[in-house]
């Protein structure tokens, strides 16, 4: 209503409601007086007081600040009883989430001068209520305990259920549990109504995976008795159906018999709906991998109620072949497009392939250039076209790293390196490093081009200078290397590296082995290293699955020239495999053999000495080595000579500490030994170490800190523990 408008009572009533709905007034009256030129409308209002203070009373288990975080009213706001009741509901919900299901909240208002008031919220917390008992009605086939842990489920609902906790392929225990002896320390007995609804879905899936496809699970009934909660779930199992005939019909791109081998649920006595859904996903992946991305697979289940048999027909409609119309890459501010595209086994105008696309994404993740790689597919310009969008989030690829190690009986060393793994966004690797310690001074510069001539042919060049004090001699080396590598199989690369070195063996002590004394003075080494390397790890640091195997041959001297001549062979195998609760197991083994070639010399450092962070932890570097005795006068002096063969085993159990931060813990067990010429490999003589550590892929680079203990210390060995670490900083 505005001055000059016609006087309409209906409009005045609407205005009264609008003003009242503002929530600022306790009372509003409208009066119309006759003026000279028309009606005079008078609104008489009574303002609600403002809140001077909010007082919480009788809350002993949770303080005022915690409760206040869950409500919206504040000091100075208008006192609105409707809003206060809403806030009371929020407080009671807060307490219910904390398992105080009997909590009640009331309020009182203390009126003050100047149209102000204090609001007191009176909280009767009651006792914390925990689940005392979960009972089932109608479960004739499975006991209450079996339903509570659900471990009879086999493949579960992996890959199809919206309940993401089924990703492991097992249903797992019910989230809602009865209270236990240590409920005050754990979450046992706590009631989460959303979790209880998920439990009902788990039960339904469990029965469906055990032949009860017509099962009915009632809504859980909750009752409260003082500080105890009782839950009852009614079940109508219905008939249990066995697997009958299985047929695959429609567009078959491979013979039905070959497809039938893939079907897992056919081996079950009772129809497992979880396995059936998983089989459909597997079949869809097979079709999609051949370009039929939009394949429809419809399961038709014919239930014979009388004979309790389910006959299943899978009808397949392959639809059109789908091609990659366009590949769009975004987010790469430093890395060039071609560096990303060359890692993708899929190209534009190529047939869609899920396995090749998945392999490409894994290739990008293994580059370790990106914090995240997101993949999205959208429809293209027609039904047979698809647009592939790859969005990457880059991370620093340069690293300034340092590392070191120490123990009570070992020397201290430190190393520093500067590495750029994606030089100018071209994927090239440039590295400078130095190591300085009580025994070693080392400088190294290297460059690697992973795609020479735009083909997956890697080329590397390095220059280095090493000065190292061994126990009984000192060796100075200046060298260079050049290498080539090419992928020969899936995840497998064959490489060859030629190395030329100038050596100076000096300061040789009388107690040195004959291998060392024969090398005194200057010499040169010309050797060729060939390596076959299989690496399917999902990432280089903190890997969770995949294998890392290598076979290496080193040949020095002979036709290659030089004073040094030997043949050396190394075999290493390693396997990461995911376990329960996001933990990872790692098994590693390696062995090697070296022999001196005729006309050449075999350096001591080319023989095998074990011990250290990447060997048998708990022992110092080169602590595990065969011993020979030099006779000086009438005294037999022990001298370590290194083995001409060795064997090593490592077992690790890796567990997440803070997953989002990439912080993992581990425990490990190592064993191995090196054996002298003529001695067979003796598994009863393997030295043993065990320990624990942490590995953190921190924002400034990877960090390893590990503590090893010798399990079978001999006289003079320190079994109390040896600490080693490496760490890095990104730029």
């Amino acid at each position: 209503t505005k001055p000059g408008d016609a006087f309409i009572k209906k409009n005045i009533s609407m205005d009264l409601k609008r003003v009242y709905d503002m929530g600022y007034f306790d009372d509003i009256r409208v009066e119309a007086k006759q003026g000279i030129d028309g009606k005079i409308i008078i609104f008489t209002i009574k303002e609600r007081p403002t809140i001077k203070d909010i007082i919480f009373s009788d809350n002993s288990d949770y303080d005022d600040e915690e409760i206040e975080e869950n409500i919206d009213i504040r000091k100075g706001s208008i006192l609105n009883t409707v809003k206060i009741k809403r806030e009371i509901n929020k407080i009671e919900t807060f307490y219910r989430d904390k398992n105080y299901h009997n909590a009640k909240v009331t309020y009182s208002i203390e009126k003050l001068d100047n149209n102000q008031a204090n609001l007191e919220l009176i909280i009767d917390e009651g006792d914390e209520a925990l689940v005392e008992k979960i009972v089932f009605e109608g479960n004739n086939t499975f006991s209450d305990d079996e339903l509570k842990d659900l471990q009879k489920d086999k493949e579960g609902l992996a890959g199809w259920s919206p309940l993401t906790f089924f990703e492991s392929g097992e249903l797992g225990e019910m989230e809602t549990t009865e209270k236990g002896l240590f409920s005050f320390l754990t979450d046992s007995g706590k009631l989460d109504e959303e979790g209880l609804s998920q439990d009902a879905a788990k039960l339904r899936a469990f029965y469906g995976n055990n032949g009860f496809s017509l099962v009915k699970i009632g809504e859980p009934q909750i009752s409260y008795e003082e500080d105890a909660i009782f839950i009852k779930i009614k079940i109508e199992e219905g008939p249990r159906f066995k697997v009958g005939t299985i047929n695959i019909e429609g567009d078959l791109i491979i013979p039905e018999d070959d497809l039938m081998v893939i079907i897992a649920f056919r081996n079950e006595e009772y129809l497992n709906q979880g396995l059936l859904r998983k089989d459909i996903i597997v079949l869809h992946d097979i079709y999609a991998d051949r370009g039929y991305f939009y394949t429809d697979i419809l399961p038709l289940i014919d239930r014979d109620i009388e004979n309790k048999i389910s006959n299943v027909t899978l009808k397949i409609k392959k639809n059109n072949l789908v091609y990659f119309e366009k590949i769009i890459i975004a987010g790469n501010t430093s890395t060039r497009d071609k560096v990303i595209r060359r890692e993708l086994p899929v190209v534009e105008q190529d047939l869609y392939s899920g396995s090749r696309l998945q392999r490409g994404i894994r290739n990008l993740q293994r580059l370790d250039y990106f914090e995240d790689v997101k993949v999205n597919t959208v429809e293209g310009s027609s039904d047979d076209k698809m647009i592939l969008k790859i969005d990457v989030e880059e991370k620093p690829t340069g690293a300034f790293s340092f590392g070191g190690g120490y123990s009570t009986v070992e020397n201290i060393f430190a190393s520093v390196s500067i590495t750029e793994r994606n030089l100018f966004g071209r994927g090239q690797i440039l590295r400078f490093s130095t190591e300085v310690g009580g025994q070693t001074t080392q400088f190294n510069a290297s460059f690697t081009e992973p795609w020479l001539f735009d083909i997956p042919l890697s080329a590397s060049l390095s220059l280095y200078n090493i000065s190292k004090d061994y126990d009984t001699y000192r060796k100075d080396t200046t060298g260079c290397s050049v290498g080539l590598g090419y992928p020969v199989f899936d995840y497998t690369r064959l490489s060859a590296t030629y190395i030329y070195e100038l050596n100076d063996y000096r300061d040789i002590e009388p107690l040195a082995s004959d291998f060392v004394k024969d090398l005194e003075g200057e010499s040169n080494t010309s050797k060729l290293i060939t390596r076959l390397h299989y690496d399917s790890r999902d990432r280089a640091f903190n890997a969770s699955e995949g294998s890392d195997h290598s076979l290496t041959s080193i040949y020095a001297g002979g036709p290659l020239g030089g004073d040094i001549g030997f043949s050396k062979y190394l075999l290493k195998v390693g396997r990461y495999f995911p376990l329960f609760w996001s933990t990872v197991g790692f098994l590693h083994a390696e062995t090697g053999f070296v022999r001196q070639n005729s006309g050449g010399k075999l350096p001591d450092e080319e023989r095998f000495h074990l011990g250290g962070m990447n060997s048998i932890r708990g022992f110092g570097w080169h602590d595990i080595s065969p011993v020979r005795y030099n006779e000086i006068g009438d005294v037999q002096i022990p001298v370590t000579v290194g083995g001409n063969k060795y064997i090593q085993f490592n077992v690790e159990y890796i567990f997440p500490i803070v997953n989002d931060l990439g912080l993992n813990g581990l425990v490990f067990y190592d064993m191995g030994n090196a054996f002298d010429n003529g001695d067979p490999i003796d598994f009863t003589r393997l030295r043993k170490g065990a320990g624990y550590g942490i590995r953190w892929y921190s924002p400034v680079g990877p960090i390893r800190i590990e503590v090893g203990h010798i399990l079978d210390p001999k006289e003079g060995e320190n079994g109390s523990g040896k600490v080693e670490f490496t760490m890095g900083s990104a730029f």
Side-chain angles (χ1 to χ4, degrees):
T1 301
K2 299 289 187 296
D5 289 351
F7 176 74
I8 303 173
K9 289 185 178 181
K10 181 180 178 182
N11 288 353
I12 299 296
S13 296
M14 291 174 63
D15 289 338
L16 176 66
K17 184 177 184 303
R18 288 193 186 100
V19 175
Y20 188 80
D21 286 346
M22 294 173 69
Y24 299 154
F25 312 112
D26 269 336
D27 189 32
I28 305 172
R29 297 183 182 181
V30 180
E31 183 181 357
K33 291 185 177 181
Q34 185 63 45
I36 298 174
D37 298 323
K39 298 284 188 180
I40 300 172
I41 311 301
I42 302 168
F43 284 80
T44 304
I45 61 177
K46 180 184 179 183
E47 287 185 323
R48 288 175 173 167
T50 58
I51 299 174
K52 182 180 181 182
D53 199 6
I54 301 174
I55 303 162
F56 299 95
S57 61
D58 297 342
N59 52 308
S60 57
D61 288 352
Y62 295 95
D63 57 35
D64 295 0
E65 289 76 12
E66 287 181 280
I67 300 171
E68 197 166 8
E69 288 176 359
N70 291 273
I71 60 176
D72 295 328
I73 53 174
R74 294 290 182 266
K75 297 176 184 179
S77 60
I78 300 298
L79 185 65
N80 186 328
T81 55
V82 175
K83 189 172 183 180
I84 289 172
K85 291 175 182 177
R86 287 201 300 264
E87 302 306 306
I88 284 175
N89 288 335
K90 292 179 182 178
I91 296 172
E92 290 178 346
T93 300
F94 165 77
Y95 271 91
R96 279 198 300 274
D97 291 342
K98 303 294 184 181
N99 288 292
Y100 289 81
H101 296 276
N102 298 316
K104 299 295 180 186
V105 182
T106 56
Y107 72 95
S108 67
I109 298 171
E110 179 190 3
K111 294 187 177 180
L112 305 173
D113 296 337
N114 301 319
N115 201 30
Q116 290 185 314
N118 288 334
L119 172 62
E120 182 181 13
L121 295 169
I122 306 158
I123 302 172
D124 179 8
E125 293 179 333
D127 295 322
E128 184 179 17
L130 298 177
V131 177
E132 183 76 26
K133 191 71 176 173
I134 302 173
V135 297
F136 302 92
E137 284 188 3
N139 51 313
N140 301 316
T141 307
F142 304 108
S143 68
D144 285 12
D145 288 340
E146 286 176 312
L147 295 181
K148 288 172 187 175
D149 63 32
L150 303 182
Q151 291 305 312
K152 289 175 70 69
D153 180 71
K154 297 186 178 179
E155 292 299 328
L157 309 180
W160 69 273
S161 173
L163 304 175
T164 57
F165 46 74
F166 291 165
E167 288 180 356
S168 67
E170 293 187 358
L171 295 175
E173 296 181 350
M174 285 180 61
E175 185 173 328
T176 309
T177 60
E178 296 169 348
K179 72 176 183 180
L181 186 61
F182 298 101
S183 290
F184 63 96
L185 294 176
T186 68
D187 288 334
S188 64
K190 293 187 177 181
L191 175 63
D192 176 3
E193 294 191 15
E194 182 179 347
L196 185 58
S197 295
Q198 292 178 348
D199 287 337
K202 285 184 179 183
L203 288 168
R204 191 175 296 109
F206 172 76
Y207 269 96
N209 293 349
N210 284 278
F212 295 93
S213 55
L214 300 179
V215 67
K216 295 179 181 178
I217 306 295
E219 192 71 24
Q221 300 172 7
I222 305 171
S223 59
Y224 301 92
E225 295 182 15
E226 297 180 353
D227 61 347
I229 303 173
F230 295 88
I231 298 173
K232 180 189 292 185
I233 301 177
K234 293 184 178 181
I235 300 171
E236 186 179 320
E237 292 181 341
R240 190 177 194 183
F241 293 95
K242 291 187 175 183
V243 177
T245 59
I246 302 174
N247 295 298
I248 304 176
E249 299 178 354
D251 302 325
L252 304 185
I253 59 175
I254 59 178
E256 182 180 2
D257 290 344
D258 294 338
L259 290 176
M260 198 66 71
V261 173
I262 300 166
I263 303 299
F265 80 90
R266 68 189 176 92
N267 299 316
E268 300 293 305
E269 180 181 4
Y270 296 100
L271 180 62
N272 186 323
Q273 291 183 322
L275 278 179
L276 171 59
R277 289 177 173 87
K278 188 174 181 180
D279 288 338
I280 290 173
I281 292 173
V282 173
L283 289 174
H284 186 275
D285 289 344
I286 290 172
Y287 273 72
D289 208 39
R290 289 162 172 77
Y292 297 100
F293 180 77
Y294 296 115
T295 296
D296 294 321
I297 302 177
L298 179 64
L300 300 178
I301 301 177
D302 179 20
R303 297 184 182 90
D304 183 344
I305 303 293
E306 183 178 350
N307 296 309
K308 298 180 181 178
I309 291 176
S310 286
N311 300 312
V312 181
T313 300
L314 299 175
K315 294 190 72 70
I316 300 177
K317 184 180 180 182
K318 63 184 182 181
N319 295 316
N320 293 330
L321 286 168
V322 177
Y323 296 83
F324 288 112
E325 180 178 12
K326 191 182 299 183
I327 300 176
I328 300 173
I329 298 172
N332 52 318
T333 56
S334 300
T335 307
R336 303 192 180 198
D337 264 26
K338 80 169 188 176
V339 172
I340 296 175
R341 289 180 184 272
R342 70 193 185 191
E343 298 294 334
L344 301 175
V346 296
V347 296
E348 293 175 350
Q349 309 308 318
D350 197 5
L351 265 179
Y352 176 89
S353 169
S355 62
R356 284 189 286 124
L357 176 57
Q358 186 177 15
R359 172 64 186 273
I361 302 309
R362 187 162 185 166
N363 289 347
L364 293 179
Q365 291 170 336
R366 283 161 51 88
L367 286 176
D368 203 26
Y369 298 165
F370 310 112
E371 198 73 50
D372 191 20
V373 179
K374 295 179 180 177
V375 181
N376 190 24
T377 54
V378 297
E379 292 185 9
S381 58
S382 60
D383 291 342
D384 62 344
K385 302 289 186 183
M386 173 186 290
I387 297 174
L388 174 62
K389 294 183 177 180
I390 298 177
D391 194 357
V392 298
E393 181 183 344
E394 291 188 310
K395 66 180 180 181
T397 54
F400 171 77
S401 64
F402 64 93
Y406 68 93
S407 73
T408 56
V409 294
E410 183 63 62
N411 62 305
I412 300 175
F413 69 91
S415 63
V416 178
S417 71
I418 299 175
T419 305
E420 174 53 65
R421 296 180 292 104
N422 188 14
L423 188 65
F424 307 123
R426 298 175 179 269
Q428 299 161 335
I429 304 168
L430 182 64
R431 185 173 188 264
F432 300 95
S433 66
T434 181
E435 180 180 317
V436 179
Q439 293 182 324
T440 304
T441 302
Q442 175 177 300
F443 301 95
N444 186 296
S446 64
F447 174 79
T448 302
E449 168 56 72
W451 282 68
L452 191 65
F453 310 125
D454 284 332
I455 61 174
L457 174 67
S458 64
S460 61
L461 175 67
S462 70
L463 303 171
Y464 54 91
N465 180 270
I466 304 171
S467 181
K468 185 173 180 63
D469 270 334
Y470 293 88
D471 290 340
T472 57
Y473 66 97
R474 183 174 184 85
K475 178 187 177 185
D476 296 332
T477 301
T478 299
C480 66
S481 71
V482 59
L484 295 172
Y486 194 81
V488 290
F489 304 110
D490 203 23
Y491 296 112
T492 307
R493 178 174 288 269
L494 178 65
S495 63
T497 304
Y498 174 75
I499 297 175
Y500 184 81
E501 296 176 340
L502 298 175
N503 309 306
D504 183 11
Y505 291 85
R506 55 190 177 87
D507 299 337
I508 298 176
E509 298 181 2
L511 296 179
S513 70
D514 293 339
F515 294 110
V516 175
K517 292 177 180 178
D518 289 345
L519 290 165
E520 186 171 11
E522 294 183 351
S523 61
N524 58 66
T525 303
S526 178
K527 61 184 177 182
L528 179 67
I529 301 175
T530 56
R531 188 179 190 219
L532 188 65
H533 186 201
Y534 175 88
D535 186 358
S536 63
R537 293 174 296 170
D538 54 350
R539 60 183 72 90
F541 191 83
N542 279 352
S544 61
E545 62 177 335
S547 299
D548 186 11
H549 311 319
S550 65
L551 177 63
T552 305
S553 170
I554 307 173
Y555 182 84
L560 298 176
D563 304 307
I564 306 300
F566 64 90
S567 298
K568 190 174 185 178
Y569 308 95
L570 302 169
L571 173 64
K572 300 181 181 182
V573 294
R575 174 70 177 173
Y576 294 88
F577 46 93
L579 299 172
F580 47 86
W581 300 331
S582 301
T583 61
V584 175
F586 174 57
L587 298 177
H588 175 80
E590 57 183 81
T591 187
F593 172 80
V594 63
R595 65 176 176 84
Q596 183 173 328
N597 294 335
S598 60
K601 299 177 181 179
L602 174 60
D604 173 75
E605 64 271 12
E606 293 293 350
R607 293 173 69 86
F608 300 113
H609 309 255
L610 302 186
M613 195 166 196
N614 297 311
S615 179
I616 312 298
R617 287 158 285 193
F619 295 87
W621 184 72
H622 278 199
D623 276 0
I624 302 176
S625 176
V627 174
R628 294 184 186 179
Y629 291 89
N630 284 358
E631 186 173 325
I632 301 179
D634 295 331
V635 181
Q636 297 284 329
I637 305 297
V639 178
T640 58
V641 295
N644 76 322
K645 51 189 165 294
Y646 82 104
I647 192 165
Q648 173 185 324
F649 301 96
N650 308 93
V651 179
E652 294 181 354
Y653 175 69
I654 305 165
F655 52 90
I657 298 175
V658 184
N659 232 341
D660 293 341
L661 296 180
L663 178 63
N664 288 338
L666 76 150
V667 292
F668 58 83
Y669 177 81
D670 304 329
M671 60 181 178
N673 208 340
F675 301 90
D676 203 353
N677 295 14
D679 290 342
I681 292 178
D682 186 352
F683 287 89
T684 65
R685 292 168 50 196
L686 299 185
R687 303 302 309 276
K688 302 174 181 64
Y692 52 89
I694 61 171
R695 292 176 185 170
W696 183 23
Y697 208 146
S698 72
V700 295
I703 295 174
R704 283 180 65 184
I705 303 175
E706 293 171 15
V707 182
H709 297 265
I710 300 175
L711 298 182
D712 53 350
K714 297 181 179 180
E715 185 179 351
E717 291 180 335
N718 185 356
S720 60
K722 179 180 184 296
V723 181
E724 291 185 291
F725 71 92
T726 60
M727 56 188 69
S729 175
F731 64 84

